[in-house]
Structures are given as structure tokens and as C-alpha cells.
Amino acid sequence: MRIPFSRFSAHPAFAAAAVNICLVLWPLQSLSQRLPATVVPTHYTLAFAPDLKAATFSGDESIDVNISQPTQLITLNAIEIKFESADIQYRDGGIQTGSVSLDTERQQATLAFPRTIPAGDATLHIRFTGILNNELRGFYLSKTARRSYAVTQFEATDARRAFPCFDEPAFKATYDISLIIDADDTAISNTAIVSDTPGPGANKHTVVFGTTPRMSTYLVALLVGDFQCTGARQDGVDIRVCATPDKVELTPFALGVAKFALHYYDDYFGIHYPLKKLDFIGVPDFEAGAMENFGAITFRETDLLVDPKTASIAVQRNAAVDITHEMAHQWFGDLVTMQWWDNIWLNEGFATWMEAKPVAAMHPEWNMPEEVEIDEQNTLDTDAQPTTRAIRAKADTPDEIDEMFDDIAYGKASDVLLMVENYVGTETFRKGVQAYLKAHEYANATAEDFWNAQAEVSGEPVDKIMESLIVQPGEPILSFDEPQNGNVRIAQERFFLNAGTKIDPDQAWTLPVCFKADAGAHACDLLLMAAAKFTDSASPPFFANAGGTGYYRTSYANSDRLALAAHAESDLTPVERISLLGDTWALAHANRLDVSNYLDLAAALKADSNAEVVSSAAGKIATIADQIASTKDERNELAAWIRRNYGPEYAKLGAPSTGDSPNTLELRTHLLDLLVTQGNDADLKAQAHRIAEKFLDDPSAVDPTLSHAALEAAAANGDAALFDRLQKVYETSADPALQEGALRLLVQFHEPALLERGLEYSVSDKVRNQDTALQLRRGLQSPQNRDQVWQFIKSHWDAVEADLTTDLGAYLVSATGNFCTDAARNDVKTFFATHPVPASDMALKHALESIDGCVELRRLQEPNLNAWLAAQGGL
């Protein structure tokens, strides 16, 4: 159908033009997927007419371009698009009709014109049609029991599935967008609605949006349906949180977070949020957690729509962090965008570094610094694998770009920023951030642009520090001799979790090393080479990662290590205690310490009053039970030690009360989980079952934070009646957090028949494809269920594969890294060799490395665990 554009209404050639299309196939090895820089877009005028019942759409676009040299060919991106016509108009009014050649491998379309197009400004006009797919990318259908919705997800390279475009981040342009939709539906896009008129045709209306700022194609957003919103105004900006009608009552939580964070960011960045409105939309089917579309942020419903009366602290905290992460992107990513995907960390690392700040200011009781430290420890473990990558790495194809969205881009980049911020000072670093943003607003930037701005503002060699951490893979370990005569010798080398990995002796980093001094102060020195001697400015006990912000592992002389363990509770902050636990575990994994050293440290911290410290310790105790203890007797003796050490700490907390702080609520939860899951405490299993039943009867009658752990324990030991209750919650609840929690538990049952039932349900049409891979991943993470889940995946691969989306397929592949035998490793490798999953090459390499590392860890540390258990009165 013809979508009228006032700009071209006087040119009948546009209405009559025909288009010739041919398909071009290229050898894979010759692919170069970057577009030529000779044609640059400056403005898009886009009109869409989606047909939700037919799952199709038609579109009409004009693209204002600047052509730097005469040409007959213009290449842009398109995939799953059918071209109806393609024309070009010059500034002098001349018009040509072009033919279209499609290159599906490159995801490109080349428009060929019969005569040479002169250099200068011109306007392309293209008519096209497409499908509303079910792949959760591009322009796609999202469904509820009542109806369908049309929504978009374009990052990283999927705008080309919705409209022909120059789909690279550096090709920024402005956009005028309109949608012709059903009369009863509404539409949301990046900017506010400027007109809404009836027609064309019966039962239709046309919604026109204001012109956007200059932005990249992947930030365009389109949503169509019966969304309902709640709103408020903050700092002159209209904020709305939108959902399907049955969930609109769950929007106030997000609205409160958004209001607080917008004011916080306006102040921090020194640049007012650049649009007049900011929408947050919960989408029923959504692959990622959220997407930072400029002015119209889309979310998986569980990451936006929260009921504080029934949501645990963790659920509330995670939703708040997701909201603030995407809001930070409005500056880092939307206002200033990386030049190319190899620097995606300039978007994701910055947003991850920034996300905790407004949440910590709004909810200091949520222990956000400790949460950040736990995340850093996980990232350090990831970065200690042999096949880790540099933060800035090659990414040319869509699959390579998809694989860049990993813990290195998010976690490591964020941790590096945190370390530099700690080194130069928070206010100095903030000024550097502001200088960087102001220099590149509405434009693109590189890594050098950022670290040069920080170096100029701070007067410190931030460029040298960041370059050493951005361009080379891996992480350092700093080994400290025992301080003598006021000096301490330091040596650095690359650290690997796997003991047998060969180390390159020439690899080194430029690092700020911060020593803990009196009264919480710290003094930082710059390590410029592989080894050095520093003045010992630390106060006893000697600790060389003050604040826990250093992106490195530490190894101390034995006397200093023992002194730290003895005084950790009294002399280190909670963040520093988490850092010490992480380093001790990493050294044990690498066979530089005995696993008993970790367990002794965990025992020394068993009475820690900080929930995150206990959670951190408990997580690795669970890993020891799974990866090192290979026999039932070993696990039973470890369980007995857990009950002896942690049971009294749980008892001290007593029953939940209305006066409990969030920290106390979470501490009780972590202890219950440890004692039931790893400690096999029969009395607490019965208590957990009672709590779970009460919660299912009335979620508002029981502390939701404790109920989460209770439900996990109850499901593991549950019967068919409990399974039925959880399935009913998933199918009938209007609360996304309750729905998702119940669904995940269906693959936690240890009874084989119930687990099989949960797995079959996970690949049925009752479960959204946004959840299938996550269900199976959850099952693979369970030591008791892992083998059965893997056999199910292999025997039901056609059903599993049909539900895998591009990004979530890699999540499933990576979860096979939970195995811990050579036989399992060979099975995983063989299976995926014949059943490849797109964009998962790196995930498979990491999984196989993880299995190898676990096999090695068990071989080296199981004898040490046995000796330690015997010394505790066990084996």
C-alpha cells in the first residue's frame, strides 16, 4: 500500500516506480560487512503500517543523504525486507528509479541507478514490506492471551529487519516517524506524539511523532498495542511507565526509581536529559533484560513491573538497577555513541559502572557497594579464563558483534572505570566524564577520546592505565613480599584460574595499587612494570586493595595472609572482605593455596553481620560441594561442617519481624539457603516447606525475601501437588516476578518424573521463547539435575532449537560449562559440533574451558579437602 509523504506528493514518479530485485550470493570468506562511507544519511522520514493479525507491515521511507563522490550505486543494510520501489531525487529536482540487488550474507541491499548520481545532497525514497517475526528482534510480534503487540528490538544490527537503513552506529541521523494503526490501539516511539488523526481508511488512525535528536539506527523504537501508562513530571521531563492493561497497577515502583534517577543523572552529568519525554515500557516477549532506545526504553516485564509487597529485596534491587542502567545509556550510548561495536564497552561498561550510584543514593540500605564487589569477583573469574578477550576486540559480522555483549564489555569495563575513579578521586573523575560527554554529544567517540579527556582533567596518566587494561586480555595478579624496613616488593603477572595454563612473562599492566591505611584512608602508588619496590604505607594488617576497587588479584606472604584472615572482621570493610574472599578462592582454584585456606577464612567470617559477605562465602562453599567433593561421603561431611558453623548463626537471627532491616532479611535468607541446600538440614527443610506453602496461600502474608529461599528448598524436595501449585501461579498470576519465579522452580524438582515434566513444559507452547533457554540453563546449574537436563536437551533438540533466540542460545551453550568430567566435556563438544548454535562460538570455548578447569580443580584439591574434613572430625 502507498504511504503518503507530503514531501513527495508532487512527484508522481514515486507512485509509479517499479523495482527490479536480484539476489547476489558471495563466498563467506570474502565478506566485508561495513558500509562505504561515501553516502551518509542525515535524516529519515519513516512511515509504517503494521498488520498485527497478518504479522506483516508495510513501510514508506525517505532518507536524506550526502554523497561525497559521483556514483551509480548506493549500498545500505536490509534483511527480511521486500523492496517495492527505490528512487532518488537530487537537489535540482531530478529523479531516477533504481534496481535492487540483495546480498543476504552481508545483510545488504545495493541500489543501482542507470545514470551517475552527482556528489551532493539527495533523497532516497523506498517502499517496502516486511514480516512481524517471532524471533524477538527487528520488528516483531509479542503476544498475551488476549492479543498481539508489535514491538522492536534493534540492537545491535536488527534495524535493517524493519527498514532499509545505514545500520551502523556512526551513521547518526534525525528521524520523523509515523504509524498507521488500528483505531483502538496506541503507539509509542522515541519522541512525543505531535498529531493523531483518523485514517487513512476505516478503523485506522495515524500517529505522528516529533523529530528525534541525531541518533543511531539501533536506538529507534516502535511499539503498537493497547499499552496503558502511569506518569509524572521530573526536571521538566514527562516520565511514563507503560504496560499491558492487566499489569499497569505494577508501574508505580519503576516510576519512583525513574524520577529519582533522572534528577540524579541530570546533576551528575551536568547535561540535562535531552528529550522532552522518557517512556519505560514492559513488553510481554523480550529477549534481553531491557533496551535503551532513546526516549522509549523497553523492558522484559520482570525487570520493570514490581510489586514491593510481594517482591524480594533482590527482585526490587535488580529491577531498580536495570532501570538506572538503561537511563544511564541515555547519555552513554544515546547522546554519545561508540564509533563502532569494538568499543561497545563505552556504552555498556559506562552504564554498568553508573547504574549502582543512583540506586545506592536512593536505597543505602540495599548494600549496593557490596553488590558491585560481588559482581567484580565474578568478572575476575571470567577474565581469568584462557580464551577471554580484550575489552576492545575485533567485531565485524553480526554474530561477532552479538558476542561482544558479554561480561567483559559490561563487568570488566565497569570495574576498570571504578578503579580509575578511585585513583583520581570521584569528583575529578566526574569532571572528566562531563568533559567527554560535552565534547561528543550527538556524535560518536572512541576509547582514546575518553581516556584522553580523563588524563587532561586529572593530570594523571589515566590514558596509560586504561590502555593497558582495554587493549590486552586477562587480568594481573600482584604478589607482595612481606613488608620489611618500610618497603614492600611487588611482582605482577597474568593470572589464570586453571593451574596448568602457560603464562606469558612479558605481559604487564600499568596499575594504581592502593594500600589500606589508618581510619579507612588509603594511599595509591602506580605500578609501571612487572616488578617494583614501594614504600609500605599500609597499616597492619597489610592489605593492598583498599576499597576493593583494584582490578587485580592479590597474593600475600603467608604471615600477612594469616593476619588478614584473623583481623578481616574487625579491620576490613565488607567490600574488602568480599575482595579477600574472592582472591583466596581464586588462588585455591589456581592451586596457589589449599582449599582449606578458603574454608578457614569462611569459618572466620561465619558470624559476619553483612548479608553480602555471607552470600559471597556461601557461594564458593556451594562450588566446593559441587566441583571438588565428588563423593557422597565428602558432601555429607561438608554438610555437617556447614550445619555446625552456620546453624547457630541462623538461630541467632530468630523469626522475621517487621523491624528487620533489609540486610537482616537477606542475611537470614542466605543462611537458610546454605543450610538447606548445602547443609542438608532436615529441620530447616521442613521449615522452608511451611514458609513456601504459606507464601503460595498468600504472598503478602510472608516475608518475600525469605520466601524465595524457602520456595527453592521446597521445590527441590517437592511433590506433584507443589509442582501443580507452582504451575498454576505461572499460568494465572498477573505479577511477572511471581510468574517467573514459579516457572524457574519447575526445573528445580529433584524427583526425576517431576523434573521431566518441568523440562517438557519448558519447551511447550505454554512457555515463551524468551524463557526456554533460561529454564534449561537453570536446570544445568543444578548438580542433582544436570545429567537429566542435558539428556533431555539432546533428545529433544528440535524442540529446544526452535525456541532458541540469537542471544539466548549462547546462554544455553555456556551453561554446559557446569559439568566436571572429561566424558561430559567430550559429549558437549561432540554434540555442539553437529548441532551448532548461532553466535555461540565463544560461549562454547568458555564452557569447555570451565569443564577442563573443574576437572583439574577436583584432581588438585580433592585430597586437600579430604584432609581438611578429617581435621574437622569428619572423614
Side-chain angles (χ1 to χ4, degrees):
M1 65 182 293
R2 166 117 162 99
I3 310 297
F5 274 90
S6 59
R7 179 178 304 197
F8 300 109
S9 58
H11 300 289
F14 285 151
V19 60
N20 297 315
I21 301 177
C22 64
L23 183 67
V24 180
L25 299 178
W26 295 82
L28 286 174
Q29 62 269 26
S30 70
L31 295 183
S32 173
Q33 300 201 347
R34 301 291 293 273
L35 294 174
T38 52
V39 181
V40 176
T42 59
H43 181 78
Y44 291 79
T45 301
L46 296 169
F48 296 92
D51 184 336
L52 276 61
K53 290 182 180 179
T56 61
F57 64 91
S58 58
D60 194 324
E61 74 174 330
S62 63
I63 313 174
D64 295 340
V65 295
N66 180 266
I67 302 170
S68 61
Q69 60 189 42
T71 183
Q72 287 182 268
L73 303 176
I74 294 178
T75 300
L76 68 173
N77 294 111
I79 187 74
E80 298 176 357
I81 292 290
K82 181 180 179 181
F83 285 75
E84 301 293 339
S85 65
D87 305 285
I88 191 165
Q89 178 187 2
Y90 316 139
R91 180 182 294 178
D92 64 6
I95 298 172
Q96 288 196 69
T97 297
S99 60
V100 181
S101 298
L102 301 178
D103 182 344
T104 57
E105 295 295 341
R106 288 191 176 92
Q107 299 184 3
Q108 292 176 356
T110 296
L111 313 183
F113 296 93
R115 300 183 303 280
T116 298
I117 305 166
D121 295 331
T123 299
L124 290 169
H125 181 232
I126 301 170
R127 289 195 184 90
F128 56 93
T129 59
I131 59 170
L132 296 171
N133 66 68
N134 63 353
E135 298 174 6
L136 310 188
R137 59 178 177 163
F139 206 178
Y140 70 91
L141 275 186
S142 177
K143 298 179 180 180
T144 67
R146 295 186 313 104
R147 59 159 300 155
S148 294
Y149 296 80
V151 299
T152 56
Q153 169 58 36
F154 290 161
E155 191 176 33
T157 59
D158 291 316
R160 63 193 67 176
R161 297 177 191 275
F163 59 100
C165 56
F166 297 83
D167 199 12
E168 296 183 5
F171 288 126
K172 285 194 166 187
T174 54
Y175 295 79
D176 282 317
I177 296 171
S178 62
L179 284 154
I180 298 175
I181 58 176
D182 291 342
D184 294 334
D185 281 344
T186 187
I188 302 171
S189 189
N190 303 87
T191 54
I193 295 172
V194 295
S195 71
D196 187 346
T197 56
N203 299 316
K204 296 287 182 180
H205 66 130
T206 301
V207 181
V208 179
F209 298 89
T211 304
T212 72
R214 291 188 73 239
M215 63 184 195
S216 304
T217 47
Y218 76 88
L219 297 171
V220 172
L222 310 168
L223 298 98
V224 178
D226 60 353
F227 294 102
Q228 294 181 9
C229 310
T230 58
R233 192 166 176 81
Q234 179 69 50
D235 292 5
V237 176
D238 291 322
I239 301 176
R240 297 189 306 171
V241 181
C242 306
T244 56
D246 58 319
K247 296 182 176 69
V248 70
E249 65 181 19
L250 299 175
T251 57
F253 173 86
L255 190 62
V257 174
K259 288 178 61 181
F260 184 94
L262 185 69
H263 181 73
Y264 185 97
Y265 285 151
D266 277 348
D267 178 66
Y268 184 93
F269 294 128
I271 299 174
H272 190 273
Y273 171 72
L275 280 73
K276 295 180 180 179
K277 68 95 173 174
L278 178 56
D279 290 335
F280 302 78
I281 310 102
V283 177
D285 296 276
F286 200 75
E287 184 178 46
M291 175 60 207
E292 66 268 19
N293 313 300
F294 217 167
I297 305 173
T298 44
F299 290 80
R300 185 179 281 238
E301 290 178 329
T302 49
D303 293 318
L304 181 72
L305 307 174
V306 172
D307 183 355
K309 296 190 298 295
T310 58
S312 68
I313 293 167
V315 167
Q316 295 180 60
R317 180 170 53 220
N318 290 342
V321 165
D322 282 345
I323 292 166
T324 57
H325 180 100
E326 304 307 326
M327 290 181 71
H329 272 310
Q330 305 299 295
W331 288 264
F332 284 112
D334 298 5
L335 182 67
V336 179
T337 311
M338 75 275 147
Q339 185 75 18
W340 181 249
W341 299 107
D342 59 344
N343 271 319
I344 186 58
W345 72 273
L346 284 171
N347 286 17
E348 299 302 347
F350 273 102
T352 305
W353 160 75
M354 197 71 203
E355 66 190 17
K357 293 181 183 295
V359 178
M362 188 177 187
H363 289 287
E365 73 279 9
W366 281 357
N367 293 347
M368 289 308 301
E370 291 91 331
E371 289 289 324
V372 170
E373 184 62 29
I374 288 174
D375 288 344
E376 178 164 348
Q377 294 306 311
N378 292 334
T379 299
L380 284 163
D381 285 348
T382 299
D383 202 24
Q385 291 199 46
T387 56
T388 189
R389 66 172 181 87
I391 291 176
R392 181 165 63 187
K394 175 182 176 293
D396 290 328
T397 69
D399 278 1
E400 289 173 344
I401 293 167
D402 281 340
E403 289 190 306
M404 293 290 285
F405 290 80
D406 60 7
D407 197 29
I408 300 302
Y410 288 73
K412 182 177 181 178
S414 167
D415 297 335
V416 169
L417 293 170
L418 186 63
M419 179 174 66
V420 173
E421 180 187 31
N422 183 62
Y423 174 57
V424 302
T426 55
E427 189 56 34
T428 298
F429 191 79
R430 177 185 181 186
K431 290 178 180 177
V433 167
Q434 291 177 343
Y436 163 79
L437 290 173
K438 288 176 181 176
H440 302 283
E441 57 184 340
Y442 302 111
N444 298 84
T446 65
E448 288 79 4
D449 292 325
F450 177 76
W451 66 54
N452 288 339
Q454 285 290 349
E456 182 177 352
V457 169
S458 68
E460 300 290 347
V462 174
D463 51 342
K464 305 300 183 187
I465 296 168
M466 293 198 68
E467 184 174 19
S468 77
L469 287 153
I470 298 297
V471 304
Q472 60 180 337
E475 70 198 40
I477 181 170
L478 308 186
S479 298
F480 298 88
D481 290 346
E482 187 174 354
Q484 294 181 352
N485 303 319
N487 295 307
V488 60
R489 297 189 64 86
I490 309 174
Q492 66 162 302
E493 61 182 348
R494 184 169 174 180
F495 177 76
F496 292 99
L497 275 179
N498 298 351
T501 306
K502 185 178 180 181
I503 297 171
D504 179 359
D506 296 327
Q507 189 170 5
W509 290 260
T510 300
L511 295 167
V513 182
C514 299
F515 301 93
K516 190 173 180 67
D518 289 328
H522 64 266
C524 300
D525 291 306
L526 202 59
L527 181 61
L528 299 170
M529 57 193 73
K533 181 188 289 186
F534 285 169
T535 300
D536 176 17
S537 55
S539 299
F542 179 76
F543 185 68
N545 192 359
T549 61
Y551 193 77
Y552 49 79
R553 293 296 187 191
T554 58
S555 176
Y556 300 101
N558 193 53
S559 59
D560 290 323
R561 182 183 59 79
L562 292 173
L564 274 172
H567 295 90
E569 190 71 49
S570 58
D571 290 6
L572 299 184
T573 67
V575 167
E576 291 166 345
R577 296 199 291 275
I578 294 169
S579 173
L580 179 63
L581 281 163
D583 284 350
T584 304
W585 168 253
L587 292 171
H589 197 296
N591 204 37
R592 298 186 183 213
L593 285 177
D594 193 306
V595 69
S596 65
N597 299 134
Y598 182 84
L599 288 165
D600 288 341
L601 178 59
L605 296 173
K606 66 183 180 183
D608 201 297
S609 62
N610 184 276
E612 274 65 36
V613 173
V614 172
S615 172
S616 182
K620 296 310 181 187
I621 292 172
T623 301
I624 291 168
D626 181 18
Q627 297 189 354
I628 300 179
S630 67
T631 70
K632 185 176 181 180
D633 285 345
E634 290 168 351
R635 289 190 289 271
N636 285 342
E637 291 301 332
L638 184 59
W641 175 83
I642 291 169
R643 293 194 299 272
R644 288 194 303 273
N645 280 270
Y646 291 95
E649 303 306 322
Y650 179 77
K652 288 177 187 177
L653 295 174
S657 71
T658 55
D660 284 341
S661 68
N663 180 75
T664 298
L665 293 173
E666 291 206 293
L667 179 58
R668 184 183 292 108
T669 297
H670 296 321
L671 288 170
L672 177 65
D673 180 61
L674 176 63
L675 286 161
V676 171
T677 306
Q678 307 303 329
N680 201 25
D681 189 304
D683 291 339
L684 291 184
K685 284 183 180 180
Q687 182 187 106
H689 186 80
R690 291 192 297 272
I691 295 170
E693 291 287 348
K694 190 174 181 180
F695 181 80
L696 291 173
D697 288 338
D698 181 4
S700 64
V702 188
D703 166 43
T705 298
L706 185 62
S707 298
H708 173 78
L711 283 163
E712 290 266 0
N717 303 282
D719 56 15
L722 179 60
F723 189 102
D724 290 341
R725 293 196 71 183
L726 291 169
Q727 184 174 328
K728 183 176 180 181
V729 170
Y730 172 67
E731 293 179 353
T732 62
S733 175
D735 185 323
L738 292 179
Q739 280 186 303
E740 182 181 87
L743 177 64
R744 298 289 181 261
L745 291 173
L746 297 183
V747 292
Q748 295 297 98
F749 284 75
H750 292 172
E751 206 285 315
L754 292 176
L755 175 58
E756 191 72 13
R757 184 177 159 192
L759 293 169
E760 290 173 353
Y761 190 74
S762 297
V763 297
S764 73
D765 58 8
K766 296 286 188 179
V767 174
R768 299 177 185 277
N769 62 345
Q770 68 171 12
D771 290 312
T772 298
L774 299 179
Q775 284 290 98
L776 299 174
R777 177 183 175 89
R778 183 71 172 269
L780 287 168
Q781 290 170 335
S782 168
Q784 293 87 346
N785 293 353
R786 189 172 296 144
D787 289 337
Q788 184 177 342
V789 173
W790 178 235
Q791 292 305 316
F792 178 89
I793 290 170
K794 292 189 295 180
S795 62
H796 295 74
W797 181 248
D798 287 346
V800 171
E801 186 179 34
D803 275 347
L804 292 183
T805 62
T806 301
D807 290 341
L808 292 180
Y811 276 77
L812 175 61
V813 172
S814 69
T816 61
N818 286 287
F819 286 107
C820 198
T821 65
D822 288 327
R825 181 198 190 279
N826 294 336
D827 190 22
V828 168
K829 182 178 180 180
T830 300
F831 181 79
F832 286 120
T834 55
H835 301 81
V837 177
S840 66
D841 288 351
M842 190 58 68
L844 181 58
K845 290 178 182 177
H846 283 322
L848 297 176
E849 283 182 355
S850 293
I851 299 172
D852 290 340
C854 184
V855 170
E856 181 183 56
L857 174 66
R858 180 173 290 172
R859 176 179 61 83
L860 294 171
Q861 292 290 359
E862 190 171 17
N864 299 330
L865 176 63
N866 277 316
W868 182 83
L869 288 171
Q872 309 304 307
L875 295 174

